[in-house]
Each structure stands twice: as structure tokens, then as C-alpha cells.
Amino acid sequence: MKLTLRARLALWAALATGVAVLLVAAGLYFSVNDLLRRAQEDRLQGSVTALQTRLEDALRRQPGADLLGYTITPDLLERVADQDASTRNVEVRVLVPQRGQWVVVATTARFPENLNDLRDLRRPGIFVSGSHLTLFRPLLRGQALMQVASDARVLGDAERAFTRALSALLPLALLLSLLIGWIVAGRLLRPVRTLENAARQVGEGSDLRRALPGSDESDELGRLAHTLQSSYARLADARDREQAFLRAAAHDLRSPLAALTARVEGSLARDRNPDRYRADLREIGTDITRLSTLANHLLLLARDPGAMQHAPVPLRDLAADAVDRARELGEQTGDLADVDLVAPTPVTVPGDRVLLGQAIWNLTVNAVKHAPGATVTVTVEPTGTGARVTVQDDGPGVDAATLARLGEAFYRPDASRTADPTGTGGHGLGLALARRAADLHGGTLSLDSAPGQGFRATLTLPGTPPANLLRSAR
């Protein structure tokens, strides 16, 4: 069973608290234990020094010139130890050498039995033996050896008390931290649940532009909400464009399909002479050409940026091909338009050759269609950061209201619906495709015109492909 994010946060908080408590407890244990041990050792050192001085003074007051004349009894050791409070809680015994061995000659009554192993004589300094601290000290210039033992049970008592306290406090700290972590995690995740519910409602409904809670905040959740809201807004824009595009496409496809159906049915309705059949077939071919052109434009407009090519594209060659095709089109329709090319130097930009070629052709044929008999000049020139293709005609131009809508998919001014000297039909997609091509390449398409002042379309392209298009291509 996978835990919820809130439960995981609470468990991590409890784990962090437990580790912190253990680390602090370990530090306190070793520090306090070391402090108590040092205090016990210092007190033992002081007791040993005091006992040595008093015992040697008491022995020297006895008659006799050497150790054999000294009498060391348990009563003497008890009296010496009981003279001062600092030595009253220690136990003492004295050892003398006999036949190469150390022999105990006197001991206090409560001297620990577990210290009777004389092999400990080889251990230097203060050491712990069982529950006692013990220390050996030479007596009477080495003629005897004094061993002092001090009760060290306080160290064990402190350790046990610390262990009991830790055993009680650690579970309590874990439970408390788990409870606090659960409450804090709930409060922290409350905006996430609110955002989740709002996002679900947006997804289930149709209002993709609905404001999400917290999108105006500057923290992490606010940035997430703002990103989701921006993504939903882009989806809404794309949906609106798609719906408008499909409605317009269905409308424009319906007309040529209806005309094509009517011509086929009319041709099959009765027998006709070969010339009439040829005329009907020519009209059917014209309708098919219009449908093919519309379908190609629709496919280019819907082209995925990830499928674009980013190879060097010679713009002068594409413009020259567009000019040649426009001249041939004028010859076929009987309208010998004056179409010129101005491209003194080769210009190359990275991009998709098919898409850029179609864009330049659309700009050129748009000028030939809507400015019959005018002079059309196609100019290709480099710029500081890329290239520029300009298609200029000296035709009648358009007014500001029409100019503002040119470039929208399926938009056609009324005049353009009736004035089509090329005979190929228009669907209002030529300029839209050129603008789409400019956007996909990180460039711009600008349109300038005024009544009686001709029409100019300028396609500006960068010298390097945009980074976002390169990422989408990968």
C-alpha cells in the first residue's frame, strides 16, 4: 500500500526528529559520562594523596628504623581514612614485598573482594574494576604499596538513569513529531488539494480560462498554479483556433465539393457532344485543383513544428522559382503581369524549404491575383541578423480595416472574392500560411498598404533557428 504524501511527510518528520534526539542524547551521554568520570578520578587522586601523607606520617611516628619495625593494622588504616570527609568513602589496603611477591598486610573492613587479584598491580594509573575505581600508589619510598578503591556506582547509576529517560522520551518525541508533522503537512498540502480540485473542475468543464487559486502568489505553489493557468489558457486558445479553423474549412470545402457534384451530375444527366464533355471536364479539373490547393494549404498550416526541417534554405532560388511560376500563370490566364526579381546576392537561412517556398509563392501569387496588370517586385536581401523577402506591388491597395484582418485563416475581402484573374480560386489561406511559416521559423510577416498606394508584404527571417523550435524538433 502506497502512503499518501501527507503520511510520508509526517513519517519523514518523525524520522528526522528521532535521529536528532538520538544524536543529541549520544552527545549528552558521552559528555556527562566523561565529566562524571573525570570528577571521580580527580576526587580519587586527591583522596590517595591525602591518605599517603597521613599514613606515612603515622608510620614514621612508630618506633623502628625500617619497614620491619612498622606496624600496619586495619585499625590504623581505618583511623587514617576516617580523619577527613574526602577519604571517608574510600577503601584502602597495603601490600609489602615478601620473597619476590606482594603480600597484603592490612586492609580496611569493606575493601572490595573483587579487587583481590594481585595481577592488577601491573596496570598503571586509575582503572575501573567492576563498580569501583582503583589506584596504586608507592608508600614509604617504595618499601610498600598502597591500593585505594573508590565506589564508582554513580557512573552506572547515571548511565541507567539516562537510558530510562531516553527510553521514555524517544517514543514520546517520535509520537509528538509524527502528530506535528501530520498537522503541518496537512496545512502545507491544503493549497495543493484546493489547486487539485480547481484543476479537476477546469478539466471536467469547458472554461479553460478560469482563474486558478493561488496563481497570483510568488511561492512554489503559486508558480505551479500560474503555469497550469497559462497552459490551460494556451489550450483554450488552441481549441478556439481549431474550432474556428474547422468551421471555416468545412465551409470552404463545401462550396467546391457542391460545385463539383453538380457538374458531374449535370454531365451525366444527358448525352452531350465531345466538346461539351471536354468543357465540363475542364471545369471539373478546375474544381479539383482548387480542392487540392486548399488541402495542401490546410496541411501546411497544421504542420507540426517538430516535423520541420532545419537545413540551409537558399531564399534567392525560392524567390526566382516563385517569380517564374507567377509569370507562367499570367501567360495562362492572359494577364501578362510584370513580375520582377531583385536579389543581388545569395541569401541562406536555416529552415524548412517546402514551407518557406510555399510562403514566398503565396505572397507572390497574392500580389498577382489582387493587383491585375500591376508591377510586382520580389526583393531578397540580407539583414544584420538574417534575411528579408519583400513582395511589393503598385496596385490599388486596401483600406486599414481590411489590412488589419489580412493574414487570418479563411478571411477574404469581398473584392477578392470576385476579382480572381488567375482562375485558381482563393480560400483566404495564402497570407495565413505565410504568417504561420514566419512564426514557425521565429520570424515575422508585416503587411503595409493604403488605398491607391499599392501593397507590400515583408517576410523577415532570423539567421539562426529559435531554441524552442530546435528543442521541439529533438
Side-chain angles (χ1 to χ4, degrees):
M1 178 180 174
K2 189 174 182 180
L3 297 176
T4 63
L5 180 58
R6 183 179 185 182
R8 279 179 283 169
L9 288 174
L11 287 177
W12 277 111
L15 178 61
T17 302
V19 172
V21 169
L22 287 177
L23 289 176
V24 172
L28 288 175
Y29 170 76
F30 287 111
S31 298
V32 173
N33 194 56
D34 183 68
L35 181 62
L36 292 175
R37 172 75 179 269
R38 289 178 180 275
Q40 291 287 324
E41 290 179 352
D42 292 341
R43 189 174 67 175
L44 180 59
Q45 289 278 10
S47 300
V48 169
T49 301
L51 283 173
Q52 180 184 14
T53 302
R54 291 191 219 130
L55 185 57
E56 287 182 344
D57 290 344
L59 291 175
R60 289 192 183 96
R61 288 195 294 268
Q62 295 181 3
D66 52 22
L67 184 61
L68 296 177
Y70 297 147
T71 301
I72 304 177
T73 63
D75 291 339
L76 176 62
L77 294 180
E78 294 286 357
R79 288 197 306 271
V80 171
D82 290 340
Q83 290 181 10
D84 191 284
S86 63
T87 59
R88 196 167 292 153
N89 295 323
V90 298
E91 303 299 325
V92 188
R93 71 178 177 179
V94 178
L95 302 91
V96 296
Q98 290 182 6
R99 299 176 184 179
Q101 295 181 350
W102 290 95
V103 178
V104 178
V105 295
T107 181
T108 55
R110 294 184 302 274
F111 194 88
E113 295 181 359
N114 63 324
L115 299 180
N116 289 330
D117 190 357
L118 299 181
R119 288 177 298 178
D120 290 337
L121 293 173
R122 292 189 292 269
R123 299 187 63 174
I126 299 176
F127 62 92
V128 179
S129 179
S131 60
H132 291 79
L133 291 177
T134 183
L135 173 65
F136 290 94
R137 179 70 62 86
L139 192 64
L140 299 173
R141 298 182 181 180
Q143 298 179 59
L145 192 63
M146 180 178 63
Q147 184 181 6
V148 181
S150 174
D151 190 357
R153 284 178 297 181
V154 64
L155 298 178
D157 294 340
E159 180 179 348
R160 286 187 292 272
F162 192 87
T163 303
R164 288 194 300 269
L166 182 61
S167 301
L169 290 177
L170 182 59
L172 182 61
L174 291 177
L175 290 175
L176 184 60
S177 61
L178 187 62
L179 177 61
I180 295 176
W182 180 265
I183 296 174
V184 172
R187 294 182 64 86
L188 289 177
L189 294 176
R190 188 178 302 164
V192 177
R193 289 194 296 271
T194 303
L195 180 60
E196 177 190 359
N197 294 331
R200 183 185 300 110
Q201 293 174 4
V202 171
E204 294 174 351
S206 59
D207 186 11
L208 295 178
R209 292 186 175 85
R210 176 182 176 182
L212 294 178
S215 59
D216 55 344
E217 301 293 335
S218 60
D219 57 5
E220 291 81 357
L221 289 177
R223 290 193 293 269
L224 174 60
H226 181 73
T227 301
L228 287 176
Q229 184 169 310
S230 300
S231 301
Y232 283 145
R234 287 193 293 270
L235 288 175
D237 293 340
R239 183 188 62 182
D240 294 343
R241 288 195 301 268
E242 179 183 0
Q243 292 176 350
F245 185 82
L246 291 175
R247 285 194 296 267
H251 178 271
D252 276 54
L253 284 170
R254 188 183 300 113
S255 297
L257 285 174
L260 181 61
T261 302
R263 288 192 178 98
V264 171
E265 291 176 349
S267 299
L268 297 175
R270 62 180 181 275
D271 294 335
R272 302 187 181 192
N273 58 47
D275 292 337
R276 184 60 185 269
Y277 276 123
R278 280 193 291 270
D280 289 345
L281 288 176
R282 280 195 295 271
E283 292 178 354
I284 291 173
T286 300
D287 290 336
I288 292 175
T289 300
R290 291 176 178 176
L291 283 173
S292 177
T293 301
L294 175 60
N296 289 333
H297 283 183
L298 289 174
L299 289 174
L300 288 173
L301 279 173
R303 191 161 189 173
D304 184 6
M308 287 178 53
Q309 300 294 323
H310 294 284
V313 178
L315 294 181
R316 186 170 68 171
D317 295 348
L318 297 183
D321 180 66
V323 169
D324 292 340
R325 290 168 59 192
R327 290 170 179 170
E328 294 174 359
L329 185 62
E331 293 175 357
Q332 294 174 4
T333 59
D335 180 29
L336 300 178
D338 186 8
V339 185
D340 297 324
L341 173 65
V342 179
T345 59
V347 180
T348 301
V349 297
D352 190 297
R353 184 186 183 102
V354 174
L355 198 55
L356 290 178
Q358 187 66 40
I360 295 175
W361 162 247
N362 286 354
L363 295 178
T364 305
V365 76
N366 182 75
V368 173
K369 283 182 181 181
H370 303 300
T375 299
V376 178
T377 304
V378 180
T379 304
V380 181
E381 56 187 343
T383 62
T385 57
R388 180 169 51 242
V389 179
T390 305
V391 180
Q392 172 81 51
D393 67 66
D394 56 1
V398 297
D399 55 35
T402 302
L403 183 66
R405 297 199 59 188
L406 288 178
E408 297 180 9
F410 299 103
Y411 172 72
R412 290 172 293 174
D414 292 337
S416 69
R417 293 180 184 270
T418 57
D420 185 12
T422 64
T424 60
H427 304 282
L429 292 176
L431 292 178
L433 191 147
R435 176 157 290 165
R436 172 68 171 164
D439 293 339
L440 289 175
H441 288 80
T444 58
L445 175 66
S446 60
L447 306 176
D448 298 303
S449 182
Q453 298 182 12
F455 189 90
R456 181 173 71 252
T458 304
L459 177 64
T460 304
L461 300 169
T464 56
N468 61 328
L469 294 184
L470 288 178
R471 287 194 297 269
S472 64
R474 289 195 292 267

